[in-house]
Amino acid sequence: MHYKPMGFILGYDVGGTKISAVIGDETGKIHDTLRKRTLKEYGKEGLSAELIAMGEELLRKNHINSIDKVGIIFAGPVDSKNGIIVASPNIIGLKNFNIKKPLEDHFNVPVYLDNDAAAAAISERIFGSGKNVDNFIYITLSTGIGAGIFINGRLYKGSHGMAGEVGHMAIMPNGSVCGCGRRGCWETIASGKGIARRTMENITALRDSTELSKLRSSEIDAKAVFRAMDKGDMFAQLMVEETIYYIAFGIVNLINILDPELIIIGGGLSFEGEKLFKPLRMAIKEEIKSLKRNVRIVKALENGADIGSIAITMYYD
């Protein structure tokens, strides 16, 4: 298939398990996608070479001779203003790496960088439920928990460009140690990884579980717990109910601090649909107590991960 060689944007999503490259445009349409497994040992040169090779493969395949801009989403803290990966939890050797420069040198177009949660919030602002909403929070409930925050119509980045690390809000001071070094962080309890950890820690209940006891420890994750609940496993149901309470607890903290009009929830847990959203809305309503206000809780865009790298080039351009 041939496209007119104008107005195209090359986007990348560099995650812990996979790297996605997309060709899109400013309508939010994704014309083609390429995905590869993330290698921990890439390093600076290896990652740069992989991104360039994936981009060139997409351009050749779609007969595109030129692009207007490049957007990069990275799963970790970044300095978006200067195009620097501050730290990398998933790929070795990327600390303080200017990822913009090698791609700008190769493609000879502007390159934009942001983290995954901020990019998803920008996607929602341009293409999704956040359109025409000045105060909202996008929360990703995935392996970890992160957020992108819009205040008075602008993405809030904070003094050091690292606002939105809501997963490191401690909600259980004597809880498990988080990767950040603190105890009881929200993401150690309520993320996908948190559900799996709490399930595995309940050894006696796990042995008595009708469904989860059939699985190897490596097979127990958030998705498996929800599937077990669907089959009537009472222990799995308890784990899901407990998790929803912890998610609501953190969300109510954010509502009380920021007073948003809208909470948008994405990430892997959001794919559970109303099994998550219906009890979560009820738990938030209960937990907010006397400080009640009208805050909508909605599901994120289905293709937010793909269009996030396109959206950041439009927002920062």
Side-chain angles (χ1 to χ4, degrees), residues 233-246:
D233 188 308
M234 296 304 293
F235 174 54
Q237 183 174 332
L238 175 63
M239 286 293 98
V240 169
E241 288 175 355
E242 205 174 71
T243 299
I244 287 170
Y245 167 74
Y246 289 134

Side-chain angles (χ1 to χ4, degrees), residues 33 64 99 120 165-166 171 182 189 247 271 281:
T33 305
I64 295 172
I99 187 68
E165 293 289 341
V166 298
I171 64 170
R182 300 185 78 199
I189 299 161
I247 294 170
F271 297 135
R281 290 185 185 106

Side-chain angles (χ1 to χ4, degrees), residues 4-52:
K4 293 179 183 179
M6 58 190 295
F8 289 102
I9 302 166
L10 179 60
Y12 298 98
D13 183 356
V14 182
T17 56
K18 65 176 173 55
I19 296 175
S20 299
V22 301
I23 289 286
D25 60 44
E26 292 199 351
T27 68
K29 181 178 180 181
I30 301 298
H31 297 286
D32 202 1
T33 305
L34 178 64
R35 288 186 171 87
K36 293 197 176 179
R37 186 169 63 89
T38 301
L39 301 180
K40 255 194 135 158
E41 303 78 20
Y42 272 130
K44 297 174 182 178
E45 290 184 7
L47 179 61
S48 302
E50 184 73 281
L51 296 184
I52 289 168

